[in-house]
Each structure stands twice: as structure tokens, then as C-alpha cells.
Amino acid sequence: APTKALTVPRLELNAAVLLARWLSRIQKILSPQLDVVGLRAWSDSTIVLSWLTAPHESFKVYVSNRVHQIRSLLPNCYWQHIMSADNPADCASRGVMPTALARLDLYWRGPQIAYGEPSVWDESRPSLPLCELPELRVVSCAARISDEEKEWFVRFSSFDRMLRVVAYMRRFVEACHRNVAIRRSGVTRSLVTPGSEVTGPAFLRKTELDSAARVLAAESQRVHFATLWRELSA
């Protein structure tokens, strides 16, 4: 028995591990002389049977390691449920007086179902949903969400440079829109000359700089007064 206190399902799982070790050893010994066509094992623990039908990675380390060990020792074994009244292991675990043990056929000969034909054995196996099983591994997901929105224009070293970059960007976008409109109207590109209303002059107009300043002011307000911005925009 383990030296540390264990829960009943863990003790029953250890019993299943012990059974798997003995069955695996007996199978290796008898395989040269007998053709072992199938293995069956019984347990009266619904929790253990449910553990054995679920992926072992779903459970904590203690249960996961032992479930994996059972499957590795007996990969083709079919585990079935047996009632506690027919389980000979309970005779020893629950305690029996020596005088009664000498006459207890269940302990010495096993349950009656072991003498019947496999075709009449009850193939049903109780199973609990995975979410109701104990020893489930808790997966924690941590995510950091920042509501702070960085200003994209903090990369500029001076306000004047930032203002001129934004003004040129707005001129480029407006020029693209005008060029699309010109193509749709059928005007040839030869009529579009530098300095015209389509391309704009080589220097920035005051109206363009003022428009860029308003865009920067609105963007700064949207970042630093986000809550008020959303309330006013609603």
C-alpha cells in the first residue's frame, strides 16, 4: 500500500496498474505455448474505466502516467465492468474472517461469469463524461490585452516634419482619386501637367497644411480621449 494518503479512485487505478503488470507478464510467459487471441480485464470502478477510455493527456500527471502505463502494457486489452459483489479483490480489501475465507469460493475460484462463454458476457461498460471525471488537468491561458493605443506619429522628431508628411500623404491620396475620375471622364494623360489641379504644385499650400493639422489634432484626441470620442460618436 502507498505510504501517502490517496483517494479511492487513485487506489483503484493502482490496482488496475498492478493487474496490467501481471497480465502482461503472464501473456509473455504463455505466448510461446499458447495462442493468446484476446485479453479482458475487469474493474468495479466506473471512474477507472472512464479514465481508460479518455486521452491520458487530459488528466493530471499521477493519473496520466498510470493510464498510459496500462495502455502500454496491454494495448489490446478490453476492460469491462464487474459488480462489487462479484469482484474477488474486494474479499481481501474489505476484510474477511479466516474461517469464512477458507470457504469463500469467490476468492479462491473467482466469479461465476469467468466460467461462462465470452459470448454471454455483458459487453456494456459504464462511462462518465470527461467533464465529470476527477483529476482533470487544468489548462490556464493567460493573455495580456492592452487598451492603450499608441500614437503612430510618435516616431517623428518634430511637429513640422510630421505635418508636412501628413500633408503630402493626403495630397497623394487625393491625386489618386482625381486620376481615377479623369480616366473615367476620358481625359488623356497628356492634358495632366505638373502644377495642375490634378498633381498639385511642387510646394505645399497653406490650406493643405491646415488640413493636415486638423487631421493630427483629431487623431490625437481620438487616442487620448477615446472614451469621450466613442460617446460623442455614438
Side-chain angles (χ1 to χ4, degrees):
T3 56
K4 296 183 179 180
L6 296 177
T7 61
V8 173
R10 284 192 175 190
L11 290 173
E12 292 172 335
L13 180 61
N14 287 336
V17 173
L18 182 61
L19 175 60
R21 290 174 181 173
W22 276 106
L23 281 177
S24 177
R25 185 177 303 177
I26 293 173
Q27 183 183 19
K28 291 179 181 178
I29 295 174
L30 297 180
S31 292
Q33 292 82 23
L34 298 175
D35 183 17
V36 181
V37 295
L39 284 176
R40 291 177 183 261
W42 283 267
S43 174
D44 61 356
S45 174
T46 303
I47 294 178
V48 171
L49 294 175
S50 301
W51 279 340
L52 293 175
T53 58
H56 71 91
E57 299 89 351
S58 305
F59 308 110
K60 295 180 180 178
V61 176
Y62 188 95
V63 174
S64 177
N65 290 343
R66 283 156 180 79
V67 170
H68 180 67
Q69 183 180 1
I70 292 174
R71 291 176 177 171
S72 300
L73 291 172
L74 303 174
N76 300 320
C77 181
Y78 184 79
W79 287 81
Q80 294 180 250
H81 182 262
I82 187 172
M83 301 297 295
S84 297
D86 297 328
N87 188 2
D90 284 352
C91 301
S93 62
R94 296 182 179 180
V96 179
M97 297 299 295
T99 54
L101 183 62
R103 301 186 301 271
L104 192 59
D105 290 340
L106 177 62
Y107 183 77
W108 297 107
R109 302 186 60 184
Q112 291 297 323
I113 59 174
Y115 297 94
E117 291 292 331
S119 58
V120 299
W121 289 349
D122 186 8
E123 298 289 341
S124 62
R125 179 170 52 187
S127 179
L128 297 175
L130 183 62
C131 59
E132 297 181 6
L133 291 176
E135 303 284 349
L136 281 177
R137 175 176 293 177
V138 179
V139 179
S140 301
C141 297
R144 181 180 179 182
I145 301 176
S146 177
D147 294 333
E148 181 182 359
E149 185 176 356
K150 300 297 183 181
E151 293 179 327
W152 59 268
F153 40 78
V154 294
R155 69 188 67 179
F156 294 99
S157 58
S158 65
F159 177 78
D160 183 67
R161 178 177 175 82
M162 176 179 60
L163 185 65
R164 297 178 68 84
V165 169
V166 173
Y168 276 117
M169 290 172 58
R170 288 178 56 82
R171 174 189 285 185
F172 174 76
V173 173
E174 293 174 358
C176 291
H177 291 167
R178 285 195 296 268
N179 285 336
V180 172
I182 289 174
R183 292 193 187 96
R184 291 177 178 176
S185 63
V187 179
T188 59
R189 294 186 60 86
S190 60
L191 299 178
V192 181
T193 58
S196 64
E197 290 297 326
V198 177
T199 59
F203 56 88
L204 289 171
R205 302 188 184 95
K206 183 179 183 302
T207 55
E208 292 177 314
L209 294 174
D210 292 342
S211 178
R214 287 193 294 270
V215 170
L216 291 174
E219 179 66 16
S220 180
Q221 292 174 357
R222 188 183 67 84
V223 172
H224 294 285
F225 303 99
T227 303
L228 181 60
W229 181 281
R230 287 193 297 268
E231 292 177 353
L232 294 176
S233 301

